[in-house]
Amino acid sequence: MRAIVSYVLLRAALFIAPFAILVAAQVEWYVALVISLLFAFAASAVFLRRQKAAVSAEIARMRGERGHRDDEDVEDEAVDAVRATETDDESIDAGADAEDDAEDGTVATTTTDPDLVTDEDASAAERDDRTDR
């Protein structure tokens, strides 16, 4: 936290000092503002590199302590939870219903989300394809 506070104070000082000098020199306030902002930006980029790196490291450390997680990790956990709640009986029943519809003369279509298909389901489907031939 100390790195963040010192960086903010140094950036403020790089802005306030030229602004005060220009206003004291009777430069219009809006011109002094623009010149001070440009000076503060350029000076901080040149002189405060080490402090900026320390602030970045501090923020990264704080985010790590908070337990920040990527969207991909959250999505993977959700997919794994769905896989855990599914049972093989449900997938077998869905396949039998599709076969019954096809015998009635209607077109049987099934769609499967590839993220929700387990290796066991894929190997069972391959075995079924081989026995149908």
Side-chain angles (χ1 to χ4, degrees):
M1 191 70 168
R2 181 177 176 205
I4 296 171
V5 171
S6 66
Y7 180 72
V8 168
L9 291 176
L10 287 171
R11 290 274 316 241
L14 286 174
F15 169 74
I16 293 172
F19 184 75
I21 291 170
L22 290 171
V23 169
Q26 297 182 349
V27 175
E28 293 292 330
W29 69 269
Y30 53 89
V31 174
L33 178 74
V34 171
I35 292 171
S36 298
L37 284 172
L38 292 174
F39 175 79
F41 174 74
S44 66
V46 173
F47 298 116
L48 300 181
R49 287 185 183 168
R50 199 170 7 132
Q51 289 85 352
K52 185 177 180 181
V55 168
S56 297
E58 180 72 18
I59 291 171
R61 185 187 63 76
M62 289 168 58
R63 287 184 67 162
E65 288 176 357
R66 190 176 68 206
H68 178 75
R69 299 175 356 173
D70 284 337
D71 288 342
E72 290 179 8
D73 294 338
V74 174
E75 291 169 358
D76 290 344
E77 288 177 11
V79 169
D80 291 341
V82 169
R83 285 182 182 165
T85 58
E86 277 188 351
T87 62
D88 290 339
D89 294 335
E90 290 174 349
S91 61
I92 291 171
D93 289 341
D97 292 341
E99 289 174 8
D100 292 341
D101 290 341
E103 291 172 3
D104 294 333
T106 59
V107 177
T109 59
T110 58
T111 57
T112 306
D113 185 359
D115 289 336
L116 300 178
V117 175
T118 62
D119 293 335
E120 296 166 1
D121 294 337
S123 62
E126 288 176 11
R127 278 187 265 129
D128 290 343
D129 287 343
R130 284 187 239 142
T131 56
D132 289 341
R133 291 181 190 163

